[in-house]
Amino acid sequence: MSKANSSTDTGARTEEAETGARTEESAAEREQERVDHAAGERLSTAPREERPETESESGTGVPAMGVVGWIRWFWRQLTSMRVALILLFLLSLGAIPGSLIPQTSVDDLKVQNFKDQHTTLSPIYEKFQLFDVYSSVWFSAIYILLFVSLIGCIVPRTGQFVGQLRSRPPGAPKRLNRLPAYTTWRTEAEPEAVREAALGVLGKRRFRAHAAGDAVAAEKGYLREAGNLIFHIALIVMLVAFAAGQLFKSEGGKLVVEGDGFANTLTQYDDFKSGSLYDSDSLAPFSFVLDDFVGTYEESGPQRGTPRTFEARVKYTEGADGPERKGVIRVNEPLVVDGTKVYLIAHGYAPVVTVRDGKGKVVSRNSVPLLPIDNNITSTGAIKVMDGYRDKNGVKTQLGFKAFFVPTFAGHGKGQMFSQFPGAEFPVLALSAYRGSLGVDSGLPQNVYQLDTSKMKEFKNEDGELLKKMLRPGEKLDLADGEGSITFDGIEEWASFQISQQPGNGWALGGAIAAIAGLAGSLFIQRRRVWVRAVRGPDGVTVVEMAGLGRSDSAKLPEELGDLAAALITTAPVAPEKTEALEKPETPESPDAPGPSDDATNEAGSRPVHPADAPAEGAEK
C-alpha cells in the first residue's frame, strides 16, 4: 500500500514538474516572440502607429492616447515617405485641371468665352475654383502639406546620415559564409600582413575601412543616401521657388504695331497681373520700338503654310538715359533687360485705313490690329472713329466698321471669305458700315476688337441693305448720301509680347537639376559592406575569408568582391595543397581500400578554394 502511494506521489510530482516546464517554455516562447516583434518594428521603415489602450488595459472603453498622442500620431503619418509620395501624386493630379481649363491668371478672355459656351459646367468649375487652380484653397493645402511633410522627413534622416558618416562600419559577422557574396582561400602570409594589405586594397577602392578584431570591416556607397537627401531638398527648393515666383511675379501683355513702341510702365500694358507681394515700383525701366516683323511660311508641299521664321526686330533702351541697342526677339528666345524677359507670343495683320467726312477731310488715319481666328491668319475686328467726324448736317457722330481680313483671298466660303495662306499674297478687307453711338462714353469697359451696334444704325446701300464691300489695297468704300468714305491703304504687321518678371525661375531650374542628379545617385549607387577575416588555422596556415553584403540586391556585388579578392591575392597568394603519401599495397585486401586516385585533402579536411572558383553567391558548401 505504501509502495503504491509512494509511486503515485512520484508520478504526480513528475507530471507537475513536466507541466511547470511546459509553462516556463511557453512563457519563454511568448517572451521571445515579443522581443522579435519589437526588433522587427525597429527595423521597419513603416510609420509607427500608436495603439490606443483597450478597455481591459485602461479600465475604460475610451482610447487613452490623449491630445498629445494623437498629434504625435498625425505627425508621424504626415512625415512618412508614403504620405509624401501620396501628396506629390495629388499635387500632380491637381495641376491637370490647370492645364486643361482656361485660367483667369493667364487669359481672362478665354475664361469668359468658356463660361459663355458652357453655362452648365461653369458654375461647378467656379465652385471648385477650377478657373484659379494654382491659387485655390485645395491646391494650396496640398502644397503646404507636401512642404511640411518633406521637411519633417528630411530633418531626422539628415541627422541619421550624419551619424552614419561619423561612425565606423560594423564588425564582421561570426559566419561570413552565410552572406550573399563569399570567397575563401588559404595562404602562407601572416594574418596581420593580410589584414594590412586588405586595408590598403579597400582604401584604394574608396572604401571606408578599419581593423575590427581579427577582420577588416569596410563600407562604401554613402552617396546613395546623400543623393536621396539631395533629391528631397531639391523638391523643397523647387516648392519655395514656385511660391516665391507666384508671390513676387509680374506679367503683362502688349500688342505693338510696326513703328510703335512700348515703355515698361503700368499704363502701357494692355493687361497686367502680379503676385500679392509684388511692388509696382520694382518695374525695370526700359523701352523698345518694333522696327519690323518678319514671318515666313512654307510655300509648297504638304506642309504649305507652316511657319518657318518669326522674328521681331526691335530697338531697346535700358534705363531712362541708356544707349539705344538693337535686338531680335524670336519664339522661345526672349529679350532680357534688367531681369525682365520680353517674349514673342503672337502676330497678325493691321490694315491701314483712312476715314474722310463728306467734305473730303481726313478724320482718321491709322493701322487697326485685327485678331486671327485660324492658322491662315484670317482675322476679324472693328474700326472705330470716336472723334472728329460730322455728318452732312454738321452733327457730331461716331462711325463704326466691322472688319474681316484675309491675307490670301481664296474665294467665298460658308457665307464669308476665307484665306488659303498665312502670308499676305492677295490681301482683301471686307467692311460693313454703321453710325451712331459706340458706347465708349458710358464709362463701361468694352472690347476694342468688337463693335457694339445696339445704339448704332446701319448705312444702307441702293437696295436698302447693309452697306458692305470687299476692298483691295488702294480701294475705298463710299458711305451713303455723301457721308464720307473709308480707304484701304495697305497693311502692316503687329506682334504681341509678354513682359514677365519671375524671380524664382533660376532657383526652380537649379532645384530641378539637383533633383535629377540626386535621384540618379539614389537609384544607381549601391551601398555595400565588405569584410576580410584572416586567422591562423589549426595547421598553422592562414585562412582568408571575404564576404560582401549590399543594402539591395545587385549582380555587381559578387563581381566587385572577386576584383577585391584578385587584388588581395597578389599580397596573400594561395598556399600549395598538402597531400599525404599513401603506400600502395602489393595486393589490395578489399575493394574499399583507398587507392592513389582518391582526391587529396589538406589537414583541415577540405580543399583550399581559389577566388576564381569560389561560389559568388550563397554560403560555401
Side-chain angles (χ1 to χ4, degrees), residues 24-38:
E24 292 177 358
E25 184 179 354
S26 300
E29 291 179 354
R30 289 195 297 270
E31 179 64 20
Q32 184 63 36
E33 289 178 357
R34 187 187 66 82
V35 172
D36 293 343
H37 179 70

Side-chain angles (χ1 to χ4, degrees), residues 118-253:
H118 304 83
T119 57
T120 304
L121 287 176
S122 295
I124 300 175
Y125 285 0
E126 287 181 341
K127 184 177 181 180
F128 290 99
Q129 299 177 300
L130 295 183
F131 293 116
D132 300 278
V133 168
Y134 303 110
S135 59
S136 62
V137 175
W138 55 270
F139 190 86
S140 301
I142 298 174
Y143 185 90
I144 294 173
L145 286 175
L146 177 60
F147 188 81
V148 174
S149 177
L150 288 175
I151 292 179
C153 182
I154 288 174
V155 171
R157 294 184 65 174
T158 303
Q160 295 174 4
F161 181 60
V162 173
Q164 292 172 359
L165 291 177
R166 298 178 62 182
S167 63
R168 289 186 171 187
K174 185 176 181 180
R175 296 186 179 182
L176 293 178
N177 58 356
R178 292 187 175 182
L179 297 181
Y182 173 79
T183 185
T184 182
W185 72 94
R186 291 156 55 87
T187 181
E188 293 180 348
E190 295 296 325
E192 294 78 6
V194 175
R195 291 193 288 267
E196 189 67 26
L199 285 172
V201 170
L202 292 169
K204 291 180 181 179
R205 303 296 179 94
R206 297 188 300 277
F207 277 85
R208 292 179 59 199
H210 72 103
D214 60 356
V216 173
E219 191 167 2
K220 189 178 182 181
Y222 289 94
L223 288 179
R224 178 186 180 91
E225 183 63 20
N228 200 2
L229 291 175
I230 290 173
F231 171 74
H232 289 85
I233 293 173
L235 287 182
I236 293 179
V237 172
M238 293 173 62
L239 291 176
V240 172
F242 179 76
Q246 293 297 315
L247 293 174
F248 296 96
K249 75 172 183 178
S250 68
E251 187 176 273

Side-chain angles (χ1 to χ4, degrees), residues 339-398:
T340 302
K341 295 183 179 180
V342 182
Y343 292 91
L344 174 64
I345 58 174
H347 103 287
Y349 294 100
V352 181
V353 294
T354 300
V355 179
R356 295 178 174 85
D357 59 13
K359 297 180 180 180
K361 177 184 176 181
V362 175
V363 177
S364 172
R365 187 181 189 280
N366 53 22
S367 53
V368 183
L370 304 180
L371 295 181
I373 59 175
D374 61 20
N375 292 332
N376 287 327
I377 317 185
T378 302
S379 306
T380 183
I383 301 172
K384 301 178 182 181
V385 180
M386 293 177 285
D387 299 312
Y389 176 79
R390 294 178 182 270
D391 61 12
K392 62 182 179 180
N393 299 322
V395 179
K396 290 184 178 181
T397 187
Q398 296 175 334

Side-chain angles (χ1 to χ4, degrees), residues 242-560:
F242 179 76
Q246 293 297 315
L247 293 174
F248 296 96
K249 75 172 183 178
S250 68
E251 187 176 273
K254 178 64 178 179
L255 187 149
V256 183
V257 181
E258 290 176 330
D260 292 343
F262 166 79
N264 193 26
T265 59
L266 286 178
T267 56
Q268 288 281 304
Y269 283 92
D270 294 334
D271 59 86
F272 184 83
K273 296 181 179 65
S274 63
S276 57
L277 299 181
Y278 181 78
D279 184 7
S280 60
D281 295 335
S282 61
L283 283 172
F286 72 91
S287 60
F288 68 86
V289 175
L290 178 61
D291 283 341
D292 185 27
F293 181 88
V294 179
T296 61
Y297 309 89
E298 188 67 33
E299 296 284 346
S300 60
Q303 295 186 348
R304 171 179 164 81
T306 303
R308 294 305 181 196
T309 304
F310 275 174
E311 292 182 355
R313 299 172 182 176
V314 299
K315 294 178 181 178
Y316 68 96
T317 302
E318 184 175 354
D321 302 319
E324 187 177 74
R325 303 174 183 176
K326 292 185 178 181
V328 178
I329 307 175
R330 301 181 179 89
V331 178
N332 296 326
E333 295 183 16
L335 174 68
V336 182
V337 183
D338 194 14
T340 302
K341 295 183 179 180
V342 182
Y343 292 91
L344 174 64
I345 58 174
H347 103 287
Y349 294 100
V352 181
V353 294
T354 300
V355 179
R356 295 178 174 85
D357 59 13
K359 297 180 180 180
K361 177 184 176 181
V362 175
V363 177
S364 172
R365 187 181 189 280
N366 53 22
S367 53
V368 183
L370 304 180
L371 295 181
I373 59 175
D374 61 20
N375 292 332
N376 287 327
I377 317 185
T378 302
S379 306
T380 183
I383 301 172
K384 301 178 182 181
V385 180
M386 293 177 285
D387 299 312
Y389 176 79
R390 294 178 182 270
D391 61 12
K392 62 182 179 180
N393 299 322
V395 179
K396 290 184 178 181
T397 187
Q398 296 175 334
L399 299 179
F401 302 88
K402 289 185 177 180
F404 194 86
F405 174 79
V406 290
T408 302
F409 182 68
H412 293 276
K414 297 180 180 180
Q416 61 183 13
M417 301 184 301
F418 66 94
S419 176
Q420 66 176 0
F421 190 73
E425 296 184 352
F426 194 83
V428 174
L429 176 65
L431 298 174
S432 54
Y434 299 83
R435 59 183 172 181
S437 175
L438 294 171
V440 295
D441 300 328
S442 62
L444 298 176
Q446 63 175 227
N447 194 331
V448 296
Y449 303 103
Q450 294 180 352
L451 183 65
D452 182 8
T453 59
S454 58
K455 297 182 180 180
M456 305 190 76
K457 295 181 179 180
E458 300 175 348
F459 279 98
K460 304 291 186 179
N461 58 15
E462 296 177 353
D463 299 329
E465 297 178 350
L466 174 65
L467 179 64
K468 54 185 179 181
K469 186 178 181 182
M470 291 189 301
L471 305 177
R472 291 274 295 139
E475 298 178 350
K476 69 177 180 178
L477 169 65
D478 293 321
L479 303 180
D481 301 329
E483 296 284 347
S485 64
I486 179 171
T487 306
F488 178 25
D489 297 324
I491 55 172
E492 292 180 352
E493 296 188 66
W494 58 261
S496 180
F497 300 94
Q498 177 180 296
I499 300 95
S500 63
Q501 184 178 5
Q502 196 162 2
N505 285 344
W507 285 97
L509 177 61
I513 295 175
I516 295 174
L519 184 61
S522 65
L523 291 177
F524 297 109
I525 297 177
Q526 183 190 19
R527 189 172 175 182
R528 61 272 194 198
R529 292 170 179 170
V530 173
W531 292 276
V532 181
R533 174 176 284 142
V535 295
R536 195 178 301 278
D539 56 353
V541 179
T542 301
V543 179
V544 182
E545 291 182 292
M546 292 187 68
L549 178 65
R551 294 288 295 270
S552 59
D553 294 335
S554 174
K556 294 183 178 181
L557 180 60
E559 298 178 5
E560 185 176 29

